[in-house]
Amino acid sequence: VAEETRARVERAMEKLGYLPDVVASNLASNRTRMIAAIVTSYGSALVREFLQSLADTVHPAGFLLLLGATGTSDPRAEEQLIRAFLARRPDAMVVSQINHSSDTRRLLRRSGIPVVEVGGLADDPIDMTVGFSNQEATRQLILHLVQRGYRRIATLSETIADNDRAKLRRLGYMEALHEAGLSHRADLVEAPLNIADAADAFAALMRRSPEIDAVFCSDDLLALGALAECRRRRWNVPKRVAIAGLGDLEFAVAAVPALTTVRIYRTAMGRRTGAVLLQALQGERPQQPQQPVDFEIMSRASARPRPNPTHQPAATCLPG
Amino acid sequence: VAEETRARVERAMEKLGYLPDVVASNLASNRTRMIAAIVTSYGSALVREFLQSLADTVHPAGFLLLLGATGTSDPRAEEQLIRAFLARRPDAMVVSQINHSSDTRRLLRRSGIPVVEVGGLADDPIDMTVGFSNQEATRQLILHLVQRGYRRIATLSETIADNDRAKLRRLGYMEALHEAGLSHRADLVEAPLNIADAADAFAALMRRSPEIDAVFCSDDLLALGALAECRRRRWNVPKRVAIAGLGDLEFAVAAVPALTTVRIYRTAMGRRTGAVLLQALQGERPQQPQQPVDFEIMSRASARPRPNPTHQPAATCLPG
DNA sequence: CTGTTAGCGCTTTCAC
DNA sequence: GTGAAAGCGCTAACAG
């Protein structure tokens, strides 16, 4: 086309405020350039760094994120939402859960679009999976506690029902104890994922089993609750009891004492997810359906080494 | 239709995995049932509660959220993103910034869809606005500090350039000081919105002006950085210096000492935004384009009353 | 390379 | 009420 004509058309477009109708384009081309992402909650730790880096990765290629949150970990709610999303014909899909109903799995398989399950490293992924092994991360953290001299390690877990992630973390805990030759402790207490409930659950746990010398919290938010309760009781952490979390929220390092936890490279997860998705959208299947992402034990003050662990029994304190 | 036929068709739909093509439906009906939400960052405090309650409000009415993050507060980046979103013909739009380029404003006005600007209470909204007055919230917080006996109040602000929210908070600070008959202090230091940079900026501020007796942080995250620096220096908060934030993150109450801040009812903001949007989508204009949402001063340990403030000069301490 | 045309899968309208 | 047909605004395929 002549340069001058092109310029005139563009000026007209500008003047009239014309925006190409992507809806029509979608129908005609059978592509929407939308990536649907379904997370359990908009507030989950995943959102902050993961979605940002996923969006930053796919946006230059012209893809937008259609975001949904199930709000619960109920697989039926997830299925409903996935159905609604699939009806909008996204070019690819990201789901953050690892426990799906078989209907959901069939739905996603049938859709024919690339799907990545993110967060955990699913054994038998629907299509692809990007994440870290919850079990292995927990195992290493517990072994880290054992190595620091802790022996009576209990668990404060997020609600386990319908939550495979929590189940896998529990498994890693059991595995590590077994490996260290420590007897498995029945001291498991569950709490919803917020500071106040975690504090209460922690208090109940310590009331029941005052001899506990370390508590593994299956999420940093729970650990913050446990720390708050210790502070209320004027307990010395880690002398009275060590606390460890999992997730490395930004606030973990600012906690008092700074929280020993597992850092998860969520930004890397987002980039990787975006990369395998873009690759799959160009028709290349990735070599590996399972894409592991690093994690790292962050050793901080809340689980400093315990002096003479084997010879000295756990200190006992009157609660309150 | 006959009941039996209906059932047979539905069974067939189920069996074939038929999902109605919403893309085609969109084109034909000229409605997408998508609400586009553009935030500055997926990790902003807005995301956690606001988007969840917005989604929960509009989802039962069949609307899904198309989410975008500008990543920066650059108005040009926002304009680009808004253009891309508008091309997808959302039925309504939510934008979280309050400073928009005039092109952006024109773009949104022309689109003819309901638009709500959320977070601050815009003076001259494009269409509607839901939020609280940043200036008024800051003013009340500063007056609260004055009432508790603090006189030499400085500001640790998130980067102010291109950020109307930060500017308005600064204005509220100035207004309160003027009202209290206190001289305006030039002690303003800026930092990017993260704990580490905030700690450094706070340290620089206190080095420069050791006589400061309270620091207003324009965001809770900055306040956590300031608290971390105080702890590192073994300063007593609030004896050496009081710290106050704005935003009431979940972690504010778990901070040590617990953080005095302003609670913002983000869940209410989400619900209200969803409600006015649904109303507008049914053709009813709301009576008020500006929908204020409550805030509340949370008085906690980091700014406990100062003893004999008027007679006693600010304590001086050697830093380090 | 340019211009034309069929058709994407629905909704809506209008005739029956 | 039910059924047929037009058309939403593009893309893609194909003829010139």
Side-chain angles (χ1 to χ4, degrees), chain A residues 253-268:
Chain A
V253 67
V256 183
L259 186 66
T260 286
T261 185
V262 182
R263 167 168 298 173
I264 293 153
Y265 291 90
R266 297 193 195 86
T267 301

Side-chain angles (χ1 to χ4, degrees), chain B residues 191-205:
Chain B
L193 213 48
N194 69 68
I195 290 179
D197 284 318
D200 292 346
F202 174 78
L205 174 67

Side-chain angles (χ1 to χ4, degrees), chain A residues 246-248 261-265 294-298 300:
Chain A
L246 204 164
D248 196 38
T261 185
V262 182
R263 167 168 298 173
I264 293 153
Y265 291 90
D294 281 347
F295 60 85
E296 185 185 349
I297 310 290
M298 305 304 289
R300 295 198 274 242

Side-chain angles (χ1 to χ4, degrees), chain A residues 152 206 209-213 235-236 238-241 306-307 309 312-318:
Chain A
R152 302 166 177 197
M206 297 306 289
S209 315
E211 75 283 5
I212 288 167
D213 64 6
W235 282 4
N236 181 306
K239 249 192 196 151
R240 170 61 184 91
V241 61
R306 192 174 180 71
Q312 193 180 298
T316 314
C317 254
L318 288 176

Side-chain angles (χ1 to χ4, degrees), chain B residues 65-243:
Chain B
L65 250 44
L66 188 66
L67 192 62
T70 51
T72 74
S73 45
D74 176 13
R76 290 187 58 82
E78 194 201 32
E79 187 188 320
Q80 280 285 81
L81 204 59
I82 286 183
R83 211 176 274 275
F85 272 60
L86 247 22
R88 296 197 133 86
R89 304 291 189 262
D91 287 348
M93 194 120 179
V94 176
V95 288
S96 81
Q97 296 211 126
I98 36 183
N99 48 323
H100 308 286
S101 72
S102 60
D103 276 348
T104 301
R105 297 178 66 88
R106 192 156 2 99
L107 220 49
L108 288 173
R109 278 240 168 74
R110 268 202 184 163
S111 72
I113 61 176
V115 175
V116 3
E117 291 165 280
V118 80
L121 218 47
D123 277 339
D124 172 29
I126 298 173
D127 182 16
M128 297 176 284
T129 179
V130 174
F132 67 100
S133 163
N134 282 288
Q135 184 172 344
E136 179 57 20
T138 307
R139 181 182 150 269
Q140 289 191 22
L141 177 64
I142 300 292
L143 290 178
H144 175 88
L145 294 177
V146 170
Q147 190 192 316
R148 308 250 138 181
Y150 300 96
R151 291 293 174 268
R152 301 166 176 198
I153 307 170
T155 306
L156 169 54
S157 171
E158 61 179 312
T159 315
I160 286 184
D162 276 339
N163 186 335
D164 276 9
R165 197 179 61 169
K167 275 181 204 151
L168 288 166
R169 293 184 182 177
R170 180 70 182 163
L171 267 179
Y173 162 83
M174 310 271 278
E175 188 186 358
L177 286 196
H178 181 79
E179 221 169 298
L182 294 174
S183 65
H184 151 247
R185 302 190 61 82
D187 301 315
L188 166 70
V189 69
E190 300 182 29
L193 213 48
N194 69 68
I195 290 179
D197 284 318
D200 292 346
F202 174 78
L205 174 67
M206 297 306 291
R207 208 176 302 122
R208 214 168 59 197
S209 314
E211 75 284 4
I212 287 168
D213 63 7
V215 174
F216 157 63
C217 305
S218 76
D219 190 288
D220 277 3
L221 209 56
L222 301 177
L224 289 184
L227 286 179
E229 181 65 19
C230 288
R231 207 157 43 242
R232 207 181 63 74
R233 297 176 172 224
R234 305 188 183 288
W235 281 4
N236 181 307
V237 174
K239 248 191 195 152
R240 171 61 185 88
V241 61
I243 305 287

Side-chain angles (χ1 to χ4, degrees), chain A residues 19 22 32 43 48 87-89, chain B residues 19 22 32 43 48 88-89:
Chain A
L19 282 173
V22 176
T32 55
R48 191 185 174 83
R88 297 198 132 83
R89 303 292 188 264
Chain B
L19 282 172
V22 176
T32 55
R48 192 184 174 84
R88 296 197 133 86
R89 304 291 189 262

